[in-house]
Amino acid sequence: MSLLEVTGLEVEFKTAEGVVKAVKGIDFTVERGQTLGIVGESGSGKSVTSLAVMGLHRSAKVTGSVRFDGTELIGAPAETVRKLRGRRIAMVFQDALTSLHPYFTIGDQIAEAYREHHGGSRKAALARAVEVLGDVGIPEPARRVHEHPHQFSGGMRQRAMIALALSCEPDLIIADEPTTALDVTVQAQVLELLKKLQQDRGLGIIMITHDLGVIARVADEVLVMYGGSAAEQAPADTLFSTPRHPYTRGLLDSLPRLDAEDGEALRSIPGSPPSLLNPPPGCAFHPRCPVYAADPNPLCTGERPLLKLVADGHKNACQLDGVTA
């Protein structure tokens, strides 16, 4: 049994302009000790997917199946989800400065989460806070546990967020852009910390980011999202060596290269991500796709493409994969 099994996940929001289909039929699994990377541009549905797994959508229609260690979470009683959230499924949110409460100390915030699930005295919970702050590399944790978020640097706040997530010893951590706005040195430290904690504790991790460099460093499996749908899914080594979807190739081509000639301009994907309120017909990427631009094919504007197995462990949602002229 997989630690997490997501099948046919769909998330819709009602707005004054109409229904926004933010996530459309996403499938993936996460095993114990495995890191799944979810990548894509802003607006692709990455964070909406993670919040659906956590049961944190309040005004959205969420359908499909999210099974955690055999327990179905979609449609489950709120109390069932609440007991799992934070205790066995934890999340490292995108912006540590806004995710941590400015009024309360770091220690109080970690202690509150610990007492919610484990009970015990405030003194015991603060001792646990000191322990996990030390685990994530905060110097002098017994002193800094009494400091407020603004007294921590950006990298230390992110470590405090990871400590908060680890305080109840979860089985799965969802890290939503955990290295955003951090310099490359601190970014590397945070990633190494997550990797070490995973090795020590057998954690399942979902790493959500737009940074393919981060994914290359930590992920075992990669899910590429575009316009709320899955575009490609494969083991990390396979995806980076033989990407098959034009969108994935565009993302990889946009990375800076050490072997680039002096003065060579960075490549980019032309156009903008699609409107989720009024998406284009068929493949949502076709208006920006260089393959379609060179040779328009009616398959690209017909039915919405779904992931299909194109090689061992490699799935692709491009309608033209395997189609010969």
Side-chain angles (χ1 to χ4, degrees), residues 97 100-104 106 144 147-153 157:
L97 185 59
L100 292 167
H101 200 293
Y103 181 77
F104 297 101
I106 296 291
R144 308 216 65 162
E147 294 184 346
H148 291 80
H150 72 270
Q151 295 174 280
F152 279 40
S153 67
R157 278 194 295 268

Side-chain angles (χ1 to χ4, degrees), residues 108-234:
D108 282 339
Q109 295 180 66
I110 296 175
E112 179 185 18
Y114 182 80
R115 294 183 73 188
E116 174 67 25
H117 293 285
H118 294 276
S121 66
R122 182 175 181 273
K123 181 178 180 180
L126 281 175
R128 174 61 178 163
V130 172
E131 180 183 355
V132 292
L133 286 174
D135 288 344
V136 299
I138 298 293
E140 301 180 79
R143 175 177 66 84
R144 308 216 65 162
V145 74
H146 301 294
E147 294 184 346
H148 291 80
H150 72 270
Q151 295 174 280
F152 279 40
S153 67
M156 289 177 66
R157 278 194 295 268
Q158 199 61 274
R159 287 173 181 265
M161 285 293 296
I162 296 171
L164 178 59
L166 289 172
S167 62
C168 294
E169 298 186 348
D171 300 299
L172 175 68
I173 286 183
I174 301 174
D176 188 1
E177 301 278 8
T179 58
T180 296
L182 300 179
D183 63 64
V184 292
T185 302
V186 177
Q187 182 184 96
Q189 292 172 352
V190 169
L191 294 177
E192 284 300 316
L193 170 63
L194 285 170
K195 188 174 180 179
K196 181 179 184 300
L197 291 169
Q198 182 180 51
Q199 292 171 344
D200 292 345
R201 307 184 184 206
L203 295 170
I205 295 177
I206 299 177
M207 177 69 68
I208 297 171
T209 181
H210 62 274
D211 189 335
L212 285 168
V214 169
I215 292 299
R217 188 180 185 115
V218 301
D220 302 301
E221 183 91 3
V222 185
L223 173 64
V224 181
M225 292 186 67
Y226 184 80
S229 298
E232 189 167 2
Q233 185 173 2

Side-chain angles (χ1 to χ4, degrees), residues 64-104:
S65 174
V66 175
R67 297 184 67 84
F68 176 77
D69 204 15
T71 300
E72 178 60 59
L73 303 184
I74 301 296
E79 183 66 13
T80 299
V81 180
R82 189 187 68 79
K83 286 182 177 179
L84 288 174
R85 186 170 55 231
R87 173 62 185 90
R88 297 194 63 197
I89 310 174
M91 189 162 182
V92 179
F93 290 93
Q94 185 167 352
D95 187 345
L97 185 59
T98 57
S99 299
L100 292 167
H101 200 293
Y103 181 77
F104 297 101

